[in-house]
Amino acid sequence: MLRQAPRFLLRRASAAAMRWSRPFSTDLPAETAGDSKFVDAWKKLIPNIDPPKTPSAYMAPRPPTPSTIPSKLTVNLVLPYDSVLSAKEVDMVIVPAATGQMGVLPGHVATITELKPGILSVHEGNDITKYFLSGGFAFVHANSIADIIAIEATPVDRIDQNLVQKGLAEFQQKLNSASTDVEKAEAQIGIDVYSALNAALTG
Amino acid sequence: MAMAALRRDGRRIAAPLITPHPINPLRSSLASSDREHTLLGVRSISTQVVRNRMKSVRNIQKITKAMKMVAASKLRAIQTKAENSCGLWQPFTALLGDTPSVDVKKNVIVTISSDKGLCGGINSTSVKISRGLHKLNAGPEKECKYVILGEKAKAQLVRDSKKDIELAFTELQKNPLNYTQVAVLADDILKNVEYDALRIVFNKFQSVVAFVPTTSTVLSPEVVEREAEAGGKLGELDSYEIEGGETKSEVLQNLTEFQFSCVMFNAMLENACSEQGARMSAMDSSSRNAGDMLDRLTLTYNRTRQASITTELIEIISGASALEG
């Protein structure tokens, strides 16, 4: 029995070590002020049920604004069904803002822009990757992080010229035969998208 | 103790024989002889009842095992979609912050639940959290309404909060979830409901056995402006330049509507994953339970069978010894 003792002690010690390697609750980052207010109010009124979690609990906090302008821009391009670029360090991006093409460099002023259908080009060193975006929003934060949220983004080399021409003709015909405002608006949207596609292919 | 068990079994099988039922001529003669003997009051035990029960439990076990497989395959399909969409709501939270404790007059709670049942406790959890949020945000001058997605939450909330339900949507999962469908749904909700803050309640999928109830808050553009001026989390919003669109409020309105549709899309996918995961574990424990019942019934069956054999032997032997002696 004494021979088994060291093995037994070793197992106990390693189990204890494994237990203590988990972080204490005080070591974890503290919740933000708004969250604790919500949690306290919940606990007071509804003590029996645990309060629900909120989205900030699932997200890593963003880095604060640095004092000097960083050398690279961090880009996140997200679509509903995929994250095309996540935390990619690039030199410059040109986004198709509603007011025209907008270039974003590191240290750009914080901006919220609406996007119209057009080309997004990502410049990194000597590589330029172009995507056709269907529209969405772009946020540029003061800490040189750019979030671009679009519904669709396809690389430009995947677009078929013939289908674009056909689609443009079809929507122009729809605009001519449209009677209600809703139909006119829909046809106009179609024309906008297809002409942007056309311009993307030729330009 | 064996005699007491035999007596109990004898009384139990007398009851179903009183009700008339169509006699299947193809059924084995053993069954009919059992019935005849019992009618005459002889203690011949019928194993038919236990056998029927075992057959039905075995069928239930097969069905629940099949349902678990189906839920597992559906979960695999929808889990990739949900993971791909998890980057969608993060930019909005990074920009506009997370404000569950915002104090507004018109709250709308959007509860996401499933249409089908047999999925464990996730729908009850969502409803409990919704009721909790309702209580938290009730007060003088404040109103709190529900918009319900899914049959199960509607059934539970209609019982006590019928007048607070604004809209209810069902049959959302007939076609696989995609962004266009959710965008149309979000548009419907935004058009028909007056809101200052929308609180979406859903179950976030952490793993196949863990689902965390979560609530996301989307504010209306007016409240966003008000909070930005008041400072706090949204205080930095004023430092952002707004481009595109004519006025700041127009862009803010588009922004909040877009945020709502993106957050809804992610929430619906996560809830669908949680539903399939919960159904998997519920069906798994049900199959295991059926297996346990089957084991117990097999023991009872064998005991009953051996008891009837013993009884016959006793009669034969006592008859023979009576003849001899």
Side-chain angles (χ1 to χ4, degrees):
Chain A
M1 197 195 100
L2 283 174
R3 235 185 307 144
Q4 314 283 0
R7 216 184 307 157
F8 179 58
L9 280 172
L10 197 63
R11 228 182 310 141
R12 282 291 293 275
S14 65
M18 279 198 305
R19 238 184 307 146
W20 292 122
S21 64
R22 247 187 287 151
F24 290 108
S25 60
T26 44
D27 288 341
L28 292 169
E31 289 176 349
T32 54
D35 287 334
S36 50
K37 196 166 137 204
F38 174 67
V39 169
D40 291 334
W42 178 279
K43 286 214 175 110
K44 241 194 303 189
L45 265 188
I46 308 141
N48 297 331
I49 311 177
D50 278 335
K53 293 246 156 60
T54 48
S56 51
Y58 300 114
M59 222 176 91
R62 291 286 175 92
T65 314
S67 45
T68 57
I69 299 179
S71 58
K72 293 263 194 189
L73 183 69
T74 319
V75 169
N76 298 322
L77 171 61
V78 284
L79 313 173
Y81 55 86
D82 196 12
S83 300
V84 181
L85 302 169
S86 65
K88 193 161 159 158
E89 306 250 324
V90 296
D91 297 321
M92 177 171 83
V93 286
I94 305 185
V95 292
T99 50
Q101 298 279 14
M102 184 171 96
V104 181
L105 290 154
H108 195 281
V109 69
T111 319
I112 304 176
T113 74
E114 253 183 73
L115 302 174
K116 66 169 190 235
I119 302 205
L120 169 83
S121 42
V122 179
H123 298 249
E124 181 174 1
N126 289 329
D127 303 315
I128 307 182
T129 332
K130 292 198 181 174
Y131 300 93
F132 183 81
L133 295 183
S134 65
F137 267 85
F139 310 142
V140 184
H141 302 276
N143 48 11
S144 292
I145 300 185
D147 292 313
I148 305 171
I149 311 152
I151 312 292
E152 288 279 352
T154 38
V156 173
D157 47 13
R158 294 242 204 107
I159 305 178
D160 184 356
Q161 175 84 13
N162 299 331
L163 287 175
V164 170
Q165 302 288 17
K166 247 197 307 184
L168 188 60
E170 190 189 316
F171 273 97
Q172 263 165 352
Q173 201 192 27
K174 272 200 203 160
L175 181 65
N176 293 335
S177 63
S179 45
T180 64
D181 273 339
V182 177
E183 281 180 35
K184 280 206 191 115
E186 285 178 10
Q188 188 64 46
I189 294 173
I191 291 184
D192 284 341
V193 174
Y194 275 102
S195 3
L197 271 168
N198 219 356
L201 286 172
T202 52
Chain B
M1 199 195 89
M3 303 299 270
L6 291 174
R7 241 179 281 136
R8 235 184 309 133
D9 274 33
R11 230 180 296 138
R12 237 189 319 172
I13 27 178
L17 295 170
I18 297 169
T19 60
H21 55 249
I23 298 175
N24 191 349
L26 291 172
R27 212 187 278 178
S28 66
S29 54
L30 180 61
S32 51
S33 65
D34 278 343
R35 246 179 279 132
E36 272 177 70
H37 283 164
T38 338
L39 277 171
L40 296 171
V42 176
R43 263 174 297 140
S44 165
I45 312 306
S46 166
T47 54
Q48 186 68 19
V49 176
V50 184
R51 242 183 297 157
N52 284 342
R53 209 166 145 75
M54 279 170 69
K55 196 164 75 165
S56 66
V57 172
R58 210 173 289 130
N59 286 339
I60 290 181
Q61 192 182 34
K62 281 191 213 161
I63 291 173
T64 51
K65 271 199 190 141
M67 282 183 77
K68 178 184 167 194
M69 296 287 129
V70 167
S73 69
K74 285 196 183 162
L75 176 69
R76 252 199 309 270
I78 208 168
Q79 194 173 357
T80 39
K81 267 199 205 171
E83 274 170 19
N84 285 336
S85 82
C86 76
L88 197 58
W89 54 267
Q90 286 179 0
F92 292 105
T93 314
L95 178 75
L96 296 169
D98 187 26
T99 49
S101 54
V102 69
D103 195 14
V104 289
K105 290 220 177 54
K106 300 205 187 110
N107 291 291
V108 175
I109 301 179
V110 182
T111 315
I112 306 186
S113 66
S114 63
D115 284 332
K116 303 207 185 116
L118 294 179
C119 51
I122 51 166
N123 292 324
S124 309
T125 326
S126 289
V127 169
K128 263 193 284 187
I129 302 280
S130 309
R131 287 211 184 111
L133 280 176
H134 185 102
K135 206 162 139 189
L136 205 63
N137 288 308
E141 287 190 8
K142 288 206 274 193
E143 61 172 66
C144 201
K145 297 255 171 211
Y146 290 107
V147 169
I148 306 178
L149 277 72
E151 220 19 275
K152 293 282 148 191
K154 185 165 116 176
Q156 289 193 31
L157 283 172
V158 114
R159 262 190 289 155
D160 59 355
S161 320
K162 190 155 174 198
K163 58 180 174 42
D164 281 332
I165 301 178
E166 278 277 346
L167 292 171
F169 297 94
T170 53
E171 295 202 3
L172 292 160
Q173 297 222 32
K174 248 206 260 192
N175 308 317
L177 280 174
N178 59 354
Y179 183 74
T180 326
Q181 174 192 18
V182 177
V184 171
L185 184 71
D187 199 29
D188 248 344
I189 297 178
L190 289 171
K191 262 197 295 215
N192 294 326
V193 175
E194 277 190 22
Y195 68 100
D196 282 335
L198 289 151
R199 297 169 197 275
I200 307 173
V201 176
F202 62 104
N203 292 82
K204 193 159 167 81
F205 182 78
Q206 245 179 14
S207 77
V208 182
V209 293
F211 323 106
V212 184
T214 316
T215 172
S216 304
T217 319
V218 174
L219 305 170
S220 76
E222 297 91 27
V223 177
V224 169
E225 290 210 35
R226 189 188 80 188
E227 292 285 316
E229 280 162 31
K233 271 198 235 181
L234 285 174
E236 295 179 7
L237 197 61
D238 273 338
S239 63
Y240 284 79
E241 278 199 27
I242 315 275
E243 287 209 24
E246 281 90 40
T247 59
K248 178 174 169 180
S249 48
E250 198 183 295
V251 173
L252 269 183
Q253 185 172 23
N254 288 342
L255 183 67
T256 47
E257 291 182 1
F258 192 45
Q259 181 190 12
F260 181 53
S261 72
C262 289
V263 173
M264 274 288 282
F265 182 63
N266 180 257
M268 285 178 75
L269 279 175
E270 298 268 352
N271 204 55
C273 281
S274 307
E275 177 198 338
Q276 300 298 345
R279 187 165 295 134
M280 255 180 80
S281 48
M283 292 295 105
D284 183 45
S285 52
S286 164
S287 321
R288 210 170 298 142
N289 199 15
D292 287 343
M293 269 180 92
L294 213 51
D295 288 338
R296 276 201 309 269
L297 283 172
T298 311
L299 287 174
T300 317
Y301 176 73
N302 284 331
R303 246 183 293 145
T304 321
R305 186 178 54 86
Q306 287 164 352
S308 74
I309 292 173
T310 313
T311 321
E312 278 197 51
L313 282 173
I314 289 176
E315 287 170 5
I316 292 170
I317 293 173
S318 54
S321 67
L323 281 174
E324 276 177 31

